[in-house]
Amino acid sequence: MNKLPFFIFLALIIGCSSDPASTTDSGKADLQKTLPGTWESVSLRVDINSANGTDTSYVFEVREEEWVNRLGVKPVKTYYKLDNKYEQVFTSLTDTILSTSRGMWNVFGDTLMMVEPNATYHYEAGVENGLISLKARLDWDGDGEEDDDYVGVHRKISSATE
């Protein structure tokens, strides 16, 4: 009996059943452990599709060096607390707090869920080199359709959560 096909089959089974955790990119951080702290917005990009129910599409993008001039506010700060609560603070250029949103956060694999009293957000999250990239499909233009692709990049500026 020729044992070669058996060993090839066995090698395929072992090769295909390796532990996924052992093959993940070592550069990817454990989001649950990395997230607590203070994060500041760096950039955002929204691909707005079918703007306001029309065939018009456009890109709204703000890079770090443009943030203050284009938006007229300081970068948004988000405080992710150890008890899975968060607070987002929107601040004017004169350090006046314009608005604050609060809610609960949780992580499921590479998904960050943020729950507020009137909204729930799901982001595909990736952490690399002290930056977190949050991607989602949402209704950015307020036309009632979740068809706009959002990418926000944030930098961890402190491990403090207050």
Side-chain angles (χ1 to χ4, degrees):
M1 178 174 161
N2 187 352
K3 294 183 181 180
L4 185 58
F6 173 74
F7 286 116
I8 292 173
F9 176 73
L10 185 60
L12 284 172
I13 294 290
I14 291 170
C16 293
S17 66
S18 66
D19 180 11
S22 67
T23 60
T24 59
D25 180 7
S26 61
K28 288 187 178 179
D30 179 353
L31 190 57
Q32 186 78 31
K33 292 178 184 174
T34 303
L35 202 56
T38 304
W39 295 78
E40 183 176 76
S41 296
V42 173
S43 64
L44 68 90
R45 176 187 170 106
V46 186
D47 293 332
I48 300 166
N49 300 299
S50 302
N52 297 314
T54 68
D55 287 338
T56 306
S57 296
Y58 64 96
V59 175
F60 178 73
E61 183 171 22
V62 181
R63 294 184 306 263
E64 182 172 21
E65 63 272 12
E66 305 172 314
W67 192 278
V68 170
N69 290 335
R70 295 236 5 238
L71 300 178
V73 295
K74 289 187 174 184
V76 178
K77 287 190 179 164
T78 306
Y79 303 90
Y80 294 97
K81 301 175 184 181
L82 292 171
D83 62 358
N84 288 74
K85 293 180 182 175
Y86 74 89
E87 179 177 36
Q88 261 185 338
V89 179
F90 301 81
T91 309
S92 74
L93 298 178
T94 60
D95 290 326
T96 302
I97 294 177
L98 300 171
S99 69
T100 302
S101 60
R102 293 178 180 85
M104 300 291 293
W105 67 271
N106 210 341
V107 172
F108 304 95
D110 67 348
T111 300
L112 170 63
M113 181 188 302
M114 299 173 73
V115 180
E116 295 179 8
N118 297 317
T120 299
Y121 305 97
H122 296 89
Y123 298 100
E124 178 185 327
V127 177
E128 190 172 343
N129 299 325
L131 298 174
I132 188 170
S133 173
L134 301 177
K135 300 177 184 177
R137 177 157 280 187
L138 42 79
D139 181 16
W140 180 269
D141 60 359
D143 66 358
E145 297 292 326
E146 289 188 3
D147 60 351
D148 307 315
D149 296 315
Y150 167 88
V151 178
V153 177
H154 310 269
R155 176 185 300 116
K156 191 168 193 176
I157 58 172
S158 172
S159 292
T161 59
E162 298 296 324

